Amino acid sequence: MTPSSLPPLLVAVPFAAAVLSALLPWRRAALAHWLATAAMAIDTGLAVWLAIGVVGSGTPVHGAHAMWLPLGALELGIGTFADPMGAIMAVIVCALATLVLAFNTWYMHDDARAARFPWQFCGFAAAMLGIVVSDNLFLSFVCWELVGLGSYLLIGFWADRPAASLDPDYQANKHPGARGVVESRLSPAMAQLKAFVMNRVGDAAFLLGIGALLALAQASGHTGAVLGFADVGGWTNGADQVVFLGLSGKSLAILAALGVFGGAVGKSAQFPLHTWLPDAMQGPTTASAIIHAATMVAAGVFLVARCYPLFPPEALQVVGWTGGITCLLTASIACVQWDLKAVLAYSTCSQLGLMFVALGAGAENGGLVAGIAHLFTHATFKCLLFLCAAAVIHACHGHQDLHRMGGLWRKMPVTAAASGLAVLAITGAPFGSGFFSKDAVLAAALEHAQHDGGAAWGPFVLACAGSLLTGAYMLRWWLSVFAGRARDAAVVDHAHDPSAVAKFVLVALMPCTLALPWTAGGWLDRALRSLPPGTLVPGDEANAAHGTAALVAMLLLAVGAAAALLLFAGDAARGRAARLAAALRPLHAFCAELWFVDRAWDRLWRRGAGEQVPAAAARVDLGSAERLQALEHAGARPRSWSLDGLVDGLGGACRRLGRLGSLAHNGHLGGYLAAASVLAAAVVLWGLLW
Amino acid sequence: MIGPLSLCVLGPLLLAALCLVPVRAGLPRWLAAAGSLLTTVVGGLALADFAGHPGADFRFVEAWSWSRYYGASFGLGIDGIGAAMLLLSGLVTLTATIAAFDQQRAPRVYHALVLLLLAAVNCVFTAQDLLLFYVGWELVLVPMLFLIGVFGGEQRRYAALKFFVFTLAGSVAMLALLLALWNATPPGMAKSFDLQQLAANWQVWRDSPFLGGSLAQFGFLAVLLACLVKLPAVPLHTWLPHAHVQAPTSVSVLLAGVLLKLGVYGLLRIALPLFPGMAIASAPLLAVLGTVGILWGALVALGQRDLKRLVAYASVSHMGFCLLALANLTAAGATAAVVQAFAHGLVSPLLFLLVGVVYERAHHRDLDRFGGLAQPMPHFAWFLLFGALAGCALPGLAGFVGEFAALQSGFVAGAPFAACSAVATLAPVLAAAYLLSAYRRVATGPLRHAEHANFADLGAREWAALLPLAVLIVLLGVWPRPLFAAVGESCAVLVQHVLGARP
């Protein structure tokens, strides 16, 4: 029997830890870290307890539910529940958060502001757990925004740093060929703002989706609590009879699904809103380790999976294509990045794209289960990769240029081994956890393509191309950092493995990169079987595409890995890589310029909604800068066409009219007499004539 | 027997007179604090009463005959909406008093004017009689005119005049038409300014011819104009940036926290119940006006370099949500409008206080000349971030409750309103952009000027003004149900009355 107080407790514990570690005046940051770590460890225990109960029984646990916001006949509530998917996700979130916090005690041991990290981190984890255990879409939206706040704080952890263009460290360390990034707009403060606003763009779609769902509920006569996850299919019940805003209920349902997906595009950094995630590398690497793994970006995939019955095939097609495009686009960018962390950041976008390809394949093709499974496995190995990256950057005195590293495996054997395993997992090598889940993703996409044909092949092909590149760029990453000889002694000479605690964290995560913990006894399959009806589990006989997909995946990995080995293993090979880059200069430049997506956004912001349009609006409202200046300080106000100027003009007209009238009232008796006599004469004349 | 409401109206008047007695220079601020505390307590108790026992009735009713011939009375009483507004007026005035606790220039006059303003505002929020309502409505202008025109910045007279003429022009027509309404009372009925009787007579105004149209048409337009100027709705808003920029911090707090709410309250109390037919006919137009205000205010805010003007335009945008919600003429919408007005009444003063904090130290508000203030003033920076997040409707803070309820009430209200809500969903994106980039430009990055390093962090007075607002913003954001419960019934009955006029 699993207590129903467990799901709310899962959120309450990290929240309490966040409040406590924020308010107590910690003399030593390590103490705050240990308090937070202990809280997250307890939370992990609770999550495991919950997961064992829920997965074992296969029935969800419902916590208390309270009404929060009345909306006419409808009520939006807050409450919690945990099904197997949520419970496993909760375990992953809590466990990774615990490990990252422990790792951070070492990573930030000489940072003056380290005491700030635990509370922001715990708050972030609490918000994510809120999404995980929320029992309705409204509460999910609330936590969704709070997750955005958490990422805002963590990305801006070092918000007092200058922009990259003014940062001597950045300028000294950057690769000579660095391009694509707008350096004057690359700083932690900018990155946190960008992340929040980009996410808000997605959230506007999310709000619209909620609005469409509420309109549907209202129009089809629902009352009381709405948008509960217990009955997602019921949200659009009765939609057939509804016509709203000129849209049939069915198109409204599609709109709602796309709205929710729009939110996920923002949070999960999918094209075209993906550009905030690479910028978010401005935050601490340990923050990236959780943002890229179990919180924030995972939220998008999780939410789409949660609302899966809401998605009609038309919407799923959009999901699949968006995922496919992101997968290939960001993988190709990752191939040419010089920054250690940027490669990982783009690989996150790419892997998330893969998850959306799976989700887009439809539940009947095993897509839902494959997407979730990949979400879980990816969380663990991506977290490990980022922690390894943190160790490497720390060891290299803050240097992040792949081209100046090399040979680190001798100096940092544990980190090299851990990241090696994680690389094997992410590339989908046999016996790795990525093999198990990525194979399922490709199988689902292939099955979907074979079934539906036509456009359904798109996501599959894009995902294959992305997977091919994944093998190449991840091996390039590992080979550049750890293999061969040291290319820049100044960077790598004093490198060493991190402290014992940090090493322990790396070692503890290593088993998760293998397939065995995920497949042993088929527990994950069994757990995910309880997902909405019609969901097939990978490995079922029905999924005929499985064998083909495995073959394709192996082939892609072999080609990608061979290319990476040919180009990056050893000095001679690196010469070949340079020659290849020169030969494919336009393509190379296109990828290095990030497909011009960042530049396009930057331009759109400056020339459009961000700067020029508001400036023009401000001019229309209050007038030119000179007028504004005059409005604040004493002096004559220049005329300037604007709304406010119009008001002043009206006032001026009144004043002039008054002055005109006052001309007659000038106090000269002669004038008055003359006017009076003219008037009298006129009256007399009028009397005589009529 | 003087009841609590007349205490709220007459008490501050008496205290204002006491302020002017030249005994001790330190006394007036305590008198102002006492007056606002009194209003806060009465408003709080009344709101608690409505939250505990929801109902649409008017409570704490008092009535003294004022003029038997005109049928006017000194009639006071509040429903849930009035209680919420009364509490807000007390809270905001208290905050403004704390913010101006060290007022150096003519403290007697200053605090007397604040108390006079409080009395006038309380009179509006509690009046049961149209004439009394109008007296309060116009009386508000006098202290505000002097608070801006005497205590303001360099161009204070220009700003004060603009504020005065704008709002007066909005409400003179109202007076003329109120008299016409009174005059049109059918022969058998006693002429009266009693609001409930007037509302019950709505069909009479509809059927009385006036200047080629019906009395209801002209009356509605007059009241609407008066309220839209106060709200303010685009394009009648251009007095607001001047008034805010020139006003001292505490007056900006009052202006944003209380004065703008008069517009919402007037719409709910006069325009809708007295002219329900016109309200129904013009609802889509009002929704469009609200949406235009939301987006235009947000866009112009994004284009500002002056921090205070930015916050002023943010007000235009946020008050647009009130109009948008109110326009859809559902109980949920009217409730959302009141809640949003309340939330804005907490958030906007907080932001203006923070602008004041930074202005007091830097003596300018130019966003391009700040940077890195989080280093010398970490607590200020946290408050600024908090205010920015509350302003851009982060869940868990007050701004979210009002905006979310306003948007979603539009979605469930039918076609034109849903379309307006759909367009207005862009506002939170823009709000995040202008408020958080203001935070970025003020607080983050390396320190721009060496002398900024010596800025002192928040002092005791600033903490005392900011902290209660922050706590209330969190409370309302986390648990808004009491407010919804207190306001909901009154709004439901009001909307029911309006919809009763549907042909």
Side-chain angles (χ1 to χ4, degrees):
Chain A
M1 188 56 211
T2 321
S4 63
S5 57
L6 268 184
L9 212 56
L10 276 184
V11 185
V13 170
F15 183 75
V19 172
L20 211 62
S21 50
L23 295 184
L24 290 184
W26 299 98
R27 200 158 308 151
R28 286 183 53 215
L31 289 179
H33 271 88
W34 288 120
L35 171 92
T37 312
M40 290 314 302
I42 293 171
D43 216 31
T44 313
L46 296 177
V48 170
W49 182 7
L50 178 69
I52 289 174
V54 172
V55 173
S57 68
T59 50
V61 172
H62 287 267
H65 184 98
M67 287 308 169
W68 197 79
L69 189 75
L71 203 68
L74 307 177
E75 289 260 14
L76 298 172
I78 49 174
T80 53
F81 93 118
D83 63 350
M85 175 174 77
I88 299 171
M89 188 74 210
V91 173
I92 291 175
V93 172
C94 294
L96 293 185
T98 314
L99 292 174
V100 172
L101 265 172
F103 187 91
N104 199 60
T105 47
W106 165 76
Y107 178 72
M108 284 196 182
H109 62 81
D110 53 1
D111 191 308
R113 273 158 300 178
R116 219 178 251 187
F117 190 85
W119 73 260
Q120 297 182 352
F121 190 87
C122 282
F124 190 36
M128 180 66 198
L129 286 165
I131 296 181
V132 171
V133 299
S134 143
D135 74 346
N136 67 76
L137 192 62
F138 167 71
L139 181 59
S140 288
F141 179 76
V142 168
C143 298
W144 183 265
E145 293 275 308
L146 294 176
V147 165
L149 169 64
S151 71
Y152 177 86
L153 292 174
L154 285 172
I155 294 168
F157 194 77
W158 292 310
D160 52 350
R161 287 190 180 167
S165 56
L166 302 172
D167 187 355
D169 279 351
Y170 182 89
Q171 292 300 330
N173 294 340
K174 77 171 182 185
H175 183 62
R179 59 196 297 182
V181 181
V182 186
E183 281 182 9
S184 60
R185 290 173 166 264
L186 184 68
S187 67
M190 235 12 209
Q192 64 175 168
L193 177 67
K194 190 171 174 183
F196 199 86
V197 173
M198 286 280 213
N199 269 291
R200 271 281 163 110
V201 173
D203 294 347
F206 196 162
L207 265 179
L208 212 59
I210 294 180
L213 286 171
L214 289 178
L216 262 179
Q218 174 94 357
S220 46
H222 281 274
T223 52
V226 281
L227 302 184
F229 285 135
D231 178 31
V232 178
W235 294 355
T236 48
N237 269 356
D240 302 337
Q241 289 95 47
V242 177
V243 176
F244 189 79
L245 268 182
L247 295 171
S248 71
K250 193 167 169 325
S251 7
L252 206 58
I254 296 176
L255 189 76
L258 288 181
V260 173
F261 178 61
V265 167
K267 263 287 136 10
S268 291
Q270 295 297 290
F271 174 82
L273 298 179
H274 64 277
T275 61
W276 68 266
L277 190 63
D279 279 23
M281 293 296 104
Q282 297 294 311
T285 311
T286 39
S288 305
I290 203 78
I291 291 178
H292 287 252
T295 59
M296 192 80 184
V297 295
V301 180
F302 186 84
L303 191 79
V304 171
R306 196 40 116 209
C307 304
Y308 209 64
L310 178 67
F311 283 74
E314 295 87 344
L316 284 182
Q317 202 160 13
V318 177
V319 173
W321 272 94
T322 309
I325 291 170
T326 313
C327 179
L328 176 61
L329 181 147
T330 48
S332 72
I333 294 173
C335 289
V336 299
Q337 287 295 313
W338 55 272
D339 182 335
L340 175 75
K341 277 167 81 181
V343 174
L344 297 183
Y346 281 106
S347 96
T348 303
C349 292
S350 178
Q351 294 296 311
L352 290 162
L354 219 50
M355 294 170 210
F356 281 116
V357 167
L359 293 178
E364 69 281 7
N365 299 314
L368 177 56
V369 169
I372 298 167
H374 197 52
L375 176 66
F376 293 166
T377 57
H378 173 262
T380 50
F381 58 66
K382 186 48 71 63
C383 182
L384 180 54
L385 277 172
F386 266 106
L387 293 182
C388 291
V392 169
I393 293 171
H394 202 275
C396 296
H397 322 292
H399 285 280
Q400 298 183 200
D401 187 354
L402 285 174
H403 298 281
R404 296 170 70 182
M405 296 176 178
L408 277 174
W409 71 272
R410 256 184 270 268
K411 296 172 188 286
M412 316 176 67
V414 177
T415 314
S419 59
L421 276 176
V423 165
L424 289 181
I426 194 174
T427 52
F431 308 112
S433 59
F435 174 71
F436 148 73
S437 54
K438 189 190 265 181
D439 176 43
V441 169
L442 290 180
L446 181 60
E447 178 89 7
H448 176 54
Q450 286 171 343
H451 253 281
D452 292 17
W457 281 99
F460 174 70
V461 172
L462 289 167
C464 284
S467 298
L468 174 76
L469 295 179
T470 307
Y473 71 73
M474 281 316 300
L475 274 173
R476 165 183 180 256
W477 182 85
W478 194 88
L479 291 171
S480 298
V481 177
F482 294 104
R485 58 173 190 87
R487 286 187 292 282
D488 189 336
V491 172
V492 298
D493 257 8
H494 300 285
H496 54 82
D497 261 330
S499 75
V501 173
K503 263 193 292 202
F504 168 78
V505 170
L506 298 185
V507 173
L509 274 170
M510 274 154 75
C512 298
T513 61
L514 301 175
L516 195 66
W518 303 96
T519 52
W523 69 271
L524 188 59
D525 285 1
R526 253 207 330 279
L528 296 181
R529 257 177 218 281
S530 60
L531 288 171
T535 311
L536 277 194
V537 175
D540 270 17
E541 294 71 28
N543 200 333
H546 218 270
T548 326
L551 210 62
V552 171
M554 289 323 306
L555 202 66
L556 294 171
L557 171 62
V559 175
L565 286 171
L566 268 176
L567 294 172
F568 295 103
D571 291 339
R574 295 189 80 84
R576 277 198 292 278
R579 281 197 298 283
L580 184 67
L584 298 175
R585 186 180 297 277
L587 185 65
H588 187 272
F590 186 64
C591 294
E593 282 288 351
L594 317 174
W595 290 39
F596 294 95
V597 182
D598 283 56
R599 289 203 187 279
W601 274 115
D602 192 52
R603 212 180 160 82
L604 188 70
W605 178 257
R606 280 186 295 124
R607 296 279 171 83
E611 285 172 16
Q612 281 200 353
V613 171
R619 258 199 312 283
V620 170
D621 205 81
L622 283 187
S624 59
E626 293 78 43
R627 184 166 189 274
L628 280 185
Q629 191 65 27
L631 283 174
E632 255 181 72
H633 306 293
R637 281 178 294 283
R639 285 174 64 155
S640 158
W641 280 109
S642 60
L643 276 178
D644 191 46
L646 220 61
V647 177
D648 276 6
L650 202 66
C654 290
R655 203 169 295 150
R656 274 192 291 280
L657 203 69
R659 222 170 282 148
L660 207 66
S662 73
L663 276 185
H665 305 85
N666 52 11
H668 291 297
L669 203 59
Y672 290 168
L673 274 177
S677 35
V678 168
L679 211 65
V683 170
V684 170
L685 211 62
W686 184 77
L688 286 178
L689 289 178
W690 279 275
Chain B
M1 177 67 199
I2 284 194
L5 294 187
S6 45
L7 209 60
C8 284
V9 178
L10 300 176
L13 272 183
L14 188 72
L15 291 173
L18 276 182
C19 276
L20 297 174
V21 179
V23 266
R24 278 180 52 201
L27 189 64
R29 59 189 188 185
W30 291 107
L31 294 177
S36 41
L37 200 62
L38 173 75
T39 311
T40 311
V41 169
V42 173
L45 289 177
L47 194 70
D49 187 36
F50 277 100
H53 314 278
D57 53 324
F58 283 84
R59 298 178 193 172
F60 308 100
V61 177
E62 302 167 45
W64 286 284
S65 177
W66 185 6
S67 154
R68 199 145 311 147
Y69 173 73
Y70 286 108
S73 71
F74 188 80
L76 303 176
I78 43 173
D79 59 355
I81 305 170
M85 291 295 123
L86 194 64
L87 174 61
L88 186 66
S89 107
L91 279 173
V92 171
T93 313
L94 190 59
T95 306
T97 305
I98 297 173
F101 221 58
D102 299 337
Q103 175 74 25
Q104 297 297 323
R105 207 174 140 218
R108 282 178 208 296
V109 180
Y110 178 86
H111 289 295
L113 287 172
V114 170
L115 281 166
L116 185 60
L117 183 74
L118 180 67
V121 168
N122 288 351
C123 176
V124 173
F125 288 147
T126 55
Q128 283 293 290
D129 182 277
L130 189 52
L131 202 59
L132 189 62
F133 178 93
Y134 185 78
V135 168
W137 184 270
E138 294 293 46
L139 191 59
V140 165
L141 299 187
V142 181
M144 209 31 146
L145 172 74
F146 288 111
L147 282 172
I148 299 174
V150 174
F151 296 90
E154 273 185 75
Q155 285 278 30
R156 55 183 178 270
R157 291 183 54 190
Y158 170 77
L161 187 68
K162 192 163 227 167
F163 158 77
F164 194 81
V165 172
F166 242 112
T167 38
L168 193 68
S171 42
V172 233
M174 185 159 96
L175 176 65
L177 279 138
L178 298 185
L179 295 176
L181 282 192
W182 174 81
N183 208 30
T185 311
M189 203 176 268
K191 291 187 177 185
S192 158
F193 280 109
D194 182 53
L195 272 175
Q196 301 195 33
Q197 189 188 325
L198 288 172
N201 277 355
W202 63 271
Q203 274 156 323
V204 178
W205 329 133
R206 190 192 58 188
D207 301 332
S208 333
F210 190 82
L211 291 180
S214 80
L215 190 52
Q217 280 170 347
F218 283 90
F220 182 73
L221 277 180
V223 177
L224 189 64
L225 189 68
C227 295
L228 291 188
V229 168
K230 280 249 165 61
L231 195 66
V234 173
L236 302 173
H237 66 288
T238 61
W239 60 270
L240 187 77
H242 303 305
H244 271 307
V245 165
Q246 295 302 327
T249 301
S250 52
V251 177
S252 276
V253 167
L254 289 170
L255 197 57
V258 182
L259 242 73
L260 307 190
K261 309 302 168 295
L262 293 179
V264 183
Y265 189 77
L267 285 173
L268 280 170
R269 185 65 74 223
I270 312 288
L272 262 48
L274 262 57
F275 313 105
M278 287 301 296
I280 293 172
S282 59
L285 184 74
L286 291 184
V288 170
L289 262 182
T291 312
V292 168
I294 291 169
L295 291 184
W296 183 256
L299 264 185
V300 178
L302 195 52
Q304 292 305 322
R305 272 182 60 179
D306 183 308
L307 181 58
K308 201 168 190 187
R309 205 177 285 136
L310 185 148
V311 178
Y313 277 105
S315 276
V316 174
S317 180
H318 290 146
M319 292 306 288
F321 278 101
C322 293
L323 192 55
L324 174 69
L326 204 140
N328 63 46
L329 295 182
T330 57
T335 315
V338 178
V339 173
Q340 167 71 359
F342 195 89
H344 176 261
L346 298 176
V347 175
S348 198
L350 182 85
L351 287 170
F352 277 117
L353 285 174
L354 292 164
V355 176
V357 168
V358 74
Y359 183 74
E360 225 167 74
R361 289 158 176 76
H363 305 292
H364 71 86
R365 297 177 302 257
D366 187 349
L367 283 171
D368 289 350
R369 288 157 61 199
F370 293 121
L373 287 189
Q375 291 160 48
M377 310 164 70
H379 293 149
F380 161 77
W382 283 120
F383 264 112
L384 186 61
L385 180 60
F386 177 85
L389 291 169
C392 69
L394 187 83
L397 304 179
F400 171 75
V401 182
E403 280 187 29
F404 186 83
L407 281 178
Q408 303 300 348
S409 73
F411 279 120
V412 298
F417 310 108
C420 285
S421 284
V423 176
T425 47
L426 278 177
V429 183
L430 292 172
Y434 63 74
L435 282 169
L436 289 176
S437 68
Y439 169 75
R440 180 185 72 81
R441 290 156 86 174
V442 171
T444 66
L447 209 58
R448 280 285 279 278
H449 297 286
E451 65 267 31
H452 289 182
N454 306 326
F455 284 178
D457 208 348
L458 299 178
R461 176 176 56 81
E462 288 158 339
W463 268 102
L466 289 167
L467 197 61
L469 284 182
V471 169
L472 285 170
I473 288 171
V474 173
L475 272 183
L476 179 58
V478 171
W479 197 236
R481 260 189 100 74
L483 185 60
F484 275 93
V487 174
E489 295 273 331
S490 306
C491 288
V493 168
L494 190 135
V495 167
Q496 216 170 11
H497 166 73
V498 174
L499 294 183
R502 217 173 359 208

